[in-house]
Amino acid sequence: DAASLSAHVPAIVRMLEDQDWHVRFAALETLRQVDAASLSAHVPAIVRMLEDKDRDVRAVAVETLRQLDAASLSAHVPAIVRMLEAKYWDVRAAAVQTLRLLEAASLSAHVPAIVRILEHEDWHVRVAALGTLRQVDAALLSAHVPAIVRMLEDQDWHVRFAALETLRQVDAASLSAHVPAIVRMLEDKD
């Protein structure tokens, strides 16, 4: 359990320097089970793993940062936002899901970067981005309605569904110009 692991966090963190990516990955997976207080002193080592040569290690490093409270996480947002440009979909999806944990005011500064990844080729990333956009203030989200409405035409039903869920956060006046697209979506057989 988390309490018994806490005593061993320094030893686990040292494993992040191992030559084998499997060991680094396993160390990060283990750290995901530790409480935020025990993890906080070792966050710099976890953030360094965002630059690891292995994509699985980078993805789980981002996921490990989710253990932090929103205030602690906000100090590392620039590194997480850089992961939105990662080559691999799983790293991008993990990054955008981690940003979801920020306070709405902190998240709002990164909305343009999140909206940009709505065009990512992998549907997992698009769904994660839409889920994170649901955490944004409705007034700010209204400015991005056209980009979200475009997702109603996505080939993947998961994305179309997530787009509709995100549009539910927007006021009716902002949606009025997009009613035809929304109605077409309601006629979708998926």
Side-chain angles (χ1 to χ4, degrees):
D1 72 335
S4 61
L5 274 177
S6 295
H8 304 288
V9 168
I12 297 166
V13 169
R14 282 193 298 276
M15 300 311 297
L16 296 176
E17 301 300 323
D18 197 274
Q19 294 293 329
D20 190 287
W21 76 267
H22 296 91
V23 174
R24 296 189 306 276
F25 180 88
L28 286 163
E29 280 286 328
T30 304
L31 290 172
R32 287 178 64 192
Q33 300 172 41
V34 175
D35 62 276
S38 300
L39 200 58
S40 63
H42 305 285
V43 172
I46 297 165
V47 171
R48 279 193 300 277
M49 295 291 95
L50 297 177
E51 303 299 325
D52 195 88
K53 60 187 172 202
D54 184 81
R55 83 186 242 194
D56 294 324
V57 171
R58 291 190 304 271
V60 78
V62 174
E63 293 169 3
T64 303
L65 291 173
R66 291 184 202 157
Q67 296 302 108
L68 302 175
D69 59 78
S72 300
L73 185 64
S74 65
H76 305 287
V77 167
I80 297 166
V81 169
R82 280 193 301 276
M83 296 294 98
L84 294 177
E85 301 299 322
K87 179 178 178 180
Y88 298 104
W89 73 266
D90 51 344
V91 178
R92 285 185 187 213
V96 77
Q97 289 169 340
T98 301
L99 290 175
R100 192 178 298 176
L101 302 175
L102 295 174
E103 301 288 334
S106 298
L107 181 59
S108 64
H110 306 290
V111 168
I114 297 166
V115 169
R116 277 193 302 276
I117 66 170
L118 288 175
E119 301 300 324
H120 191 271
E121 63 192 37
D122 191 276
W123 69 267
H124 297 89
V125 174
R126 297 190 303 273
V127 167
L130 287 162
T132 300
L133 288 172
R134 283 196 293 275
Q135 308 301 315
V136 174
D137 177 69
L140 177 59
L141 193 58
S142 294
H144 301 284
V145 166
I148 299 165
V149 168
R150 279 194 300 276
M151 298 294 96
L152 296 176
E153 303 292 329
D154 197 274
Q155 63 187 10
D156 190 278
W157 74 266
H158 298 92
V159 176
R160 296 189 306 270
F161 181 80
L164 283 172
E165 289 291 308
T166 304
L167 289 170
R168 288 176 51 194
Q169 308 297 318
V170 179
D171 64 276
S174 299
L175 291 178
S176 62
H178 305 284
V179 169
I182 296 168
V183 170
R184 276 193 308 277
M185 177 59 200
L186 293 175
E187 296 168 349
D188 190 338
K189 295 193 186 335
D190 277 350

